Amino acid sequence: PVQGLGWVHRGTSFPALLLYAGVLLVPVSGYALSRLNMRQIPTRPRRLLMLSGAALLLLVASASGRPALVLSGALLAALIQTCCKQAPGNIRPALILATMGVFLFFIPEIVYVRDGYDADIFRLNTVFKSYIQAWVLLSLALPALLAQWLPDALKRRSVIAIMVLVSIAHPAALVVRFDFANAGLDGLAWMHVEDRAVVEYLGVLNERAIVLEAKGEAYGESGRIAVASGIPAYLGWVNHELVWRGGSIAPELNRRQAVVEKVFSQTDPLAAAALMQREGIDLVVIGPLERRLYPAPALQTIERAGRTAFESGESRVIRFP
Amino acid sequence: MKRSQRIAAAWLLLIAFSITLHLWQLDARTFHSDEAVHAKLAYDFAVLGNYRYDPTYHGPLLYFLTAFIYWILGDSDFTARLGIALCGIGMLWIAWRIRRPFGGSAAWWAGLLVTISPLSLYYSRFLRMDMLEMLTASAALLGLYAAFRWSDRYSDWKWVGIWGALAFATKENAYITAFLLVVTLILVAFTFGFRSYFEMALRAARDKKYGLAIAVGWYIICVLLLYTVFLKYPDDWSFTVRAVRHWAYQHATERVGGPWWYHLLPLLQYEFLILGAAAAWVFRRRQLRPVEVGLFLFGMASLVMYAYLGEKVAWLGVHQIWAFIPLAAAQLARTFGPRGAWWSRTLAGAGLLMTLLASLTANFVLSEISPNMDRVESLHYVQTSPELKAIVDDIRAQSALGEYPAAIVVGDATWPMVWYLRHDPVRWSLSGVKTRPPVVILDPEQEQSLCGQLCSDSGYRRALVPLRSWWLPQQESPGIYGLLRYLVTRKPWIEVGTRKVLVLQRACDARITCTLGCCR
């Protein structure tokens, strides 16, 4: 859960910001520059003013050690100025969207939302949640801004073509990594055939139940049955529970981890059954993952302690009343 | 043939000649340890994206340039040196630009001089940043001169700023050049009347204030982007302080010291034509223009400055001759022009021939230095010995056969081996050695640390191989005979010094042929 706000002491590196959002921020910057409205200044002083401004901005960005903050802040200021002072009515909605988008790139450089993550990735959630929205807002605003900035269709299309070409690296990199041999829309095709059968059985169970399966690290196979079937897990991904619920949940998580270890190392069927009843566990899955991680005698103890409700190959769903 | 066609043909021939001299067998000579460091840093930049400014290895521009070439053409000994070779060829563009104020003929002669100059050619085929500095600083100074004298457009001042930034992003000699420029301007003012020149300078600065500000603006933008690697390392914005502090310390401690006359010997030996012709132009003219006086004073100030500076290394000679080149070119243009005397042409022709001979010898015939060679070029100073290449080939052959690791390399041989063996599986440490690699290279003093692991193993052949060799002529006076003999035959009057490394090669494997003669 949210644990308050913190000041950012280490921001986004500028090349990283350009890599992620340069395709949007550069055209927006071009638009903002074009709106500075310096036409009344003679050519030579105007060029000098712009050059001096750019040099000074770069110097401040470097010397501050926070170039992403300084440059996004400068862009934000320019957009706000344009929005408030110069924008005709029909462009103002797009300008507001663009300003909000740039704001969402700017604000994670100043504050972040505290959560359970450590010092190395302290801004992770703030950044990716903020940046995703910023991308959407800027993408919506850019067509209108480009139309005003580049009334010449050829120039505008050239800029758009460059933006598309630059952006294509992201989807192209994904496509290159596709496993076309296993292409399809079945999101559970990766599952072991026995696990798949267990999931299909559990998926049509019309009852409130808690399922216990092997414990493991996040982003791995642990929690697979609960995720695929919809039956709540006794214990899923521990770190995610900590992030979502906060540090106060840690004692309960530690307790449940110990219970899972105890269940999968039990040799007394009566003790195992008592443990399930005390913890409110209705179903235990013994599948390929459990057979790989836990000793066979413990798994046999669980089978003797309960009743086999479903089997597929060597996999079992053991029910406890 | 029309005059314009003759001029075009002359320049095309010169360009072809320059390209040939700069690119022919560019990768033949063994890599100096400095070259290996620069090549490897640029390789890491190109492949891993890792580069951060360190004043020890000078400015970032060389690494950007070389990494870009690797990215386009792949990494090899040839492409590593290609960027600098192109700078050497690019000096012809500088020569072309001095048509105004020196005239077309002098410009062509300047192009020829910079092409055949032994120092310029050698260091155009050497992966150091001195020729890159010469190119960028020349472009900046020429641009500044042109902008003040006859061209005041925004684009001209922009390029003054950009070239100036590239010069400062190349090597710290740019600070010395800037200082010498100020000193020269003051000396020129004194020569032609200080008060009037001072007032003229103030008027010019006032009139060109927009241009100067444009140049400064572009300079700031370019140096900041280069030194911070496009703001990846914003802390490096204070590169000036770090650079000056680092090199002031090197000067004070005389890390590589020498006597004040250190540079005079190679300059007189190799660049007698440029220095002699420049002196002839300056001292035989009744009246010199301010730009000519300025170039001469700048050149003399450079000689004094580099004689004073504590760091004495051979490549600094490049920074001392460049101001004399336009003056020498002007003299040669006159000598070989309609008003040249026969004796002057004979003398200049002999000088050109001797310079070309010296340049070809130093770059192609005696391009390496080794205790096993009886002739040596003083220009080469310190160089990796060519005997090391045979070891590199052996290790690569072992790597191709699947040996893992193909070698262990520790001690002084690390550079240039890190560059040569960048694609081969090599261990760079002796600790925890459990294998018997085909080749082990280490300092002779480290042999004892191998005992119990390899040295008592009769399966290894042992050889001392020259790693680095040097010839420092200033260490002993040769006498007239020794000096003359050296100038004619290149036979040194003192021995070539060398640092050897111990090379252990595993007993013959029937699959490969060793080049150190261990296989029958």
Side-chain angles (χ1 to χ4, degrees):
Chain A
V2 171
Q3 297 164 25
L5 295 177
W7 293 109
V8 172
H9 55 273
R10 192 177 71 243
T12 307
S13 96
F14 186 67
L17 181 64
L18 267 189
L19 190 66
Y20 176 76
V23 70
L24 298 175
L25 289 174
V26 170
V28 170
S29 303
Y31 171 82
L33 267 176
S34 73
R35 297 295 106 186
L36 283 177
N37 198 18
M38 299 171 75
R39 282 193 189 84
Q40 70 272 20
I41 304 174
T43 306
R44 189 166 244 199
R46 181 172 77 234
R47 278 173 156 181
L48 181 59
L49 201 59
M50 291 182 70
L51 184 66
S52 307
L56 187 63
L57 191 61
L58 209 53
L59 197 57
V60 171
S62 308
S64 66
R66 304 286 302 276
L69 168 67
V70 170
L71 294 173
S72 60
L75 179 58
L76 184 65
L79 285 173
I80 291 172
Q81 192 260 356
T82 306
C83 196
C84 296
K85 294 238 164 114
Q86 302 170 31
N90 58 352
I91 199 74
R92 192 161 282 152
L95 257 179
I96 291 171
L97 286 176
T99 307
M100 284 166 58
V102 172
F103 177 76
L104 287 172
F105 280 119
F106 171 72
I107 200 64
E109 300 299 315
I110 303 197
V111 291
Y112 73 102
V113 177
R114 286 186 206 272
D115 54 27
Y117 282 112
D118 63 19
D120 282 342
I121 49 174
F122 69 101
R123 284 194 317 154
L124 187 147
N125 275 313
T126 308
V127 165
F128 80 70
K129 287 169 171 62
S130 188
Y131 281 18
I132 283 174
Q133 309 308 325
W135 183 278
V136 171
L137 293 171
L138 281 175
S139 302
L140 288 172
L142 259 178
L145 300 184
L146 283 178
Q148 195 192 30
W149 174 33
L150 300 168
D152 179 71
L154 181 62
K155 281 186 190 167
R156 192 168 63 248
R157 283 172 193 161
S158 305
V159 167
I160 292 170
I162 292 170
M163 287 168 64
V164 168
L165 266 172
V166 166
S167 313
I168 222 148
H170 294 286
L174 274 177
V175 169
V176 161
R177 293 168 66 176
F178 275 176
D179 177 10
F180 287 99
N182 291 315
L185 295 175
D186 183 359
L188 298 181
W190 60 273
M191 273 191 137
H192 191 281
V193 60
E194 292 177 10
D195 278 342
R196 193 74 187 264
V198 166
V199 162
E200 282 171 10
Y201 163 75
L202 292 176
V204 296
L205 275 186
N206 190 15
E207 60 181 269
R208 293 174 69 91
I210 301 288
V211 65
L212 180 95
E213 51 186 304
K215 167 175 84 72
E217 296 296 325
Y219 307 107
E221 284 184 87
S222 69
R224 77 225 184 266
I225 301 295
V227 162
S229 67
I231 303 285
Y234 176 74
L235 181 67
W237 290 351
V238 171
N239 76 319
H240 275 63
E241 294 290 341
L242 271 171
V243 170
W244 294 330
R245 299 170 194 256
S248 60
I249 201 78
E252 175 62 15
L253 286 173
N254 291 335
R255 193 189 70 78
R256 290 201 183 199
Q257 287 183 87
V259 165
V260 173
E261 282 302 317
K262 205 166 176 183
V263 165
F264 284 109
S265 61
Q266 196 57 263
T267 51
D268 179 359
L270 286 175
L275 188 55
M276 302 301 176
Q277 192 170 32
R278 193 176 73 231
E279 295 296 322
I281 297 169
D282 305 296
L283 305 162
V284 176
V285 171
I286 299 175
L289 181 63
E290 287 73 23
R291 290 200 298 275
R292 200 164 69 234
L293 293 179
Y294 300 118
L299 299 180
Q300 287 159 9
T301 302
I302 295 170
E303 286 181 46
R304 288 202 306 273
R307 177 175 62 81
T308 302
F310 178 81
E311 56 187 295
S312 170
E314 291 185 38
S315 295
R316 309 269 184 275
V317 178
I318 310 299
R319 181 179 286 279
F320 290 86
Chain B
M1 203 188 242
K2 289 186 199 167
R3 187 165 179 271
S4 59
Q5 287 174 331
R6 283 202 306 275
I7 293 170
W11 278 98
L12 284 172
L13 273 171
L14 183 56
I15 291 168
F17 184 48
S18 179
I19 290 172
T20 306
L21 284 186
H22 282 94
L23 299 186
W24 179 258
Q25 293 189 330
L26 183 61
D27 54 352
R29 185 173 42 78
T30 320
F31 263 55
H32 187 280
S33 57
D34 282 6
E35 291 188 280
V37 169
H38 300 153
K40 184 62 167 61
L41 285 176
Y43 174 78
D44 290 345
F45 192 12
V47 171
L48 304 171
N50 290 342
Y51 170 74
R52 186 163 186 179
Y53 167 62
D54 182 340
T56 309
Y57 305 115
H58 303 295
L61 186 62
L62 178 66
Y63 306 104
F64 275 92
L65 174 64
T66 312
F68 179 70
I69 292 174
Y70 291 162
W71 189 61
I72 303 284
L73 300 172
D75 59 289
S76 67
D77 292 354
F78 184 90
T79 56
R81 288 173 172 157
L82 182 60
I84 296 302
L86 293 175
C87 289
I89 299 167
M91 287 303 292
L92 292 181
W93 170 64
I94 299 294
W96 173 259
R97 290 187 62 189
I98 69 165
R99 286 166 12 259
R100 185 178 181 183
F102 284 94
S105 183
W108 188 88
W109 282 105
L112 181 67
L113 285 173
V114 82
T115 298
I116 67 172
S117 152
L119 278 176
S120 298
L121 183 61
Y122 185 76
Y123 289 109
S124 296
R125 295 165 55 90
F126 194 107
L127 183 56
R128 282 197 58 91
M129 46 287 282
D130 299 275
M131 284 309 292
L132 181 57
E133 179 65 30
M134 198 194 226
L135 178 70
T136 51
S138 300
L141 290 172
L142 267 174
L144 188 65
Y145 179 75
F148 264 107
R149 289 297 308 273
W150 56 76
S151 173
D152 194 25
R153 296 174 302 181
Y154 175 88
S155 59
D156 296 320
W157 286 106
K158 177 180 81 178
W159 280 106
V160 170
I162 291 174
W163 283 114
L166 295 179
F168 276 87
T170 298
K171 201 176 180 210
E172 290 77 8
N173 292 76
Y175 298 97
I176 299 171
T177 301
F179 171 73
L180 290 175
L181 181 65
V182 171
V183 166
T184 302
L185 290 173
I186 294 172
L187 290 175
V188 169
F190 272 114
T191 307
F192 289 95
F194 185 81
R195 193 184 171 120
S196 60
Y197 261 75
F198 184 70
E199 284 167 3
M200 190 175 71
L202 282 180
R203 252 193 332 269
R206 205 171 43 240
D207 293 342
K208 308 286 181 181
K209 60 181 182 299
Y210 277 129
L212 286 167
I214 287 165
V216 169
W218 278 104
Y219 168 84
I220 291 173
I221 290 171
C222 293
V223 286
L224 283 180
L225 288 176
L226 286 171
Y227 273 96
T228 62
V229 193
F230 296 93
L231 298 176
K232 187 175 177 183
Y233 302 107
D235 292 342
D236 290 336
W237 75 281
S238 57
F239 63 91
T240 301
V241 171
R242 291 177 63 197
V244 170
R245 202 178 276 164
H246 175 86
W247 288 101
Y249 176 75
Q250 301 303 322
H251 160 69
T253 56
E254 292 195 25
R255 181 181 67 114
V256 187
W260 65 269
W261 42 267
Y262 175 91
H263 292 293
L264 287 180
L265 288 181
L267 286 177
L268 290 172
Q269 178 187 349
Y270 293 105
E271 306 296 347
F272 55 87
L273 178 64
I274 289 174
L275 294 173
W281 181 259
V282 166
F283 291 112
R284 294 192 71 224
R285 297 272 287 175
R286 282 197 206 96
Q287 201 174 6
L288 288 170
R289 294 175 292 167
V291 65
E292 292 163 335
V293 171
L295 281 169
F296 180 72
L297 289 173
F298 186 95
M300 295 306 292
S302 301
L303 293 176
V304 170
M305 176 58 97
Y306 286 100
Y308 160 71
L309 287 173
E311 184 99 338
K312 298 279 194 301
V313 285
W315 41 81
L316 291 178
V318 161
H319 303 275
Q320 297 171 66
I321 57 156
W322 68 321
F324 294 113
I325 292 175
L327 299 171
Q331 177 59 47
L332 289 176
R334 190 174 197 284
T335 297
F336 289 101
R339 289 184 291 168
W342 68 268
W343 58 268
S344 179
R345 289 180 185 180
T346 308
L347 205 59
L352 279 165
L353 197 61
M354 286 165 62
T355 300
L356 181 62
L357 205 62
S359 202
L360 293 175
T361 307
N363 282 281
F364 300 103
V365 178
L366 287 178
S367 59
E368 307 266 22
I369 181 170
S370 165
N372 298 320
M373 292 163 67
D374 60 353
R375 294 165 204 270
V376 68
E377 289 283 356
S378 67
L379 171 60
H380 296 155
Y381 175 51
V382 172
Q383 185 58 273
T384 304
S385 303
E387 290 84 351
L388 203 70
K389 278 187 165 176
I391 313 297
V392 170
D393 291 338
D394 273 343
I395 295 172
R396 285 178 177 165
Q398 298 290 348
S399 172
L401 288 171
E403 287 282 349
Y404 189 91
I408 294 176
V409 179
V410 295
D412 287 352
T414 304
W415 294 103
M417 290 305 222
V418 168
W419 165 251
Y420 277 127
L421 302 175
R422 63 195 179 282
H423 294 303
D424 302 292
V426 173
R427 279 188 61 132
W428 303 99
S429 162
L430 282 174
S431 64
V433 170
K434 290 184 171 56
T435 60
R436 290 180 69 246
V439 179
V440 181
I441 306 176
L442 66 165
D443 297 343
E445 306 82 50
Q446 291 173 303
E447 189 175 7
Q448 288 306 309
S449 64
L450 272 184
C451 276
Q453 296 176 71
L454 288 173
C455 77
S456 60
D457 185 334
S458 60
Y460 279 87
R461 281 182 81 86
R462 189 183 176 282
L464 283 171
V465 176
L467 167 69
R468 263 186 276 285
S469 302
W470 55 82
W471 188 59
L472 305 175
Q474 65 271 17
Q475 286 185 333
E476 191 179 300
S477 175
I480 292 292
Y481 172 70
L483 181 64
L484 285 173
R485 192 181 79 130
Y486 170 74
L487 289 174
V488 174
T489 65
R490 294 298 194 254
K491 288 191 175 176
W493 61 82
I494 53 171
E495 263 187 22
V496 169
T498 191
R499 165 67 170 163
K500 292 187 176 178
V501 287
L502 182 61
V503 178
L504 303 176
Q505 277 196 307
R506 202 173 62 199
C508 284
D509 185 321
R511 294 173 295 173
I512 59 145
T513 302
C514 304
T515 59
L516 284 185
C518 73
C519 290
R520 298 286 180 266

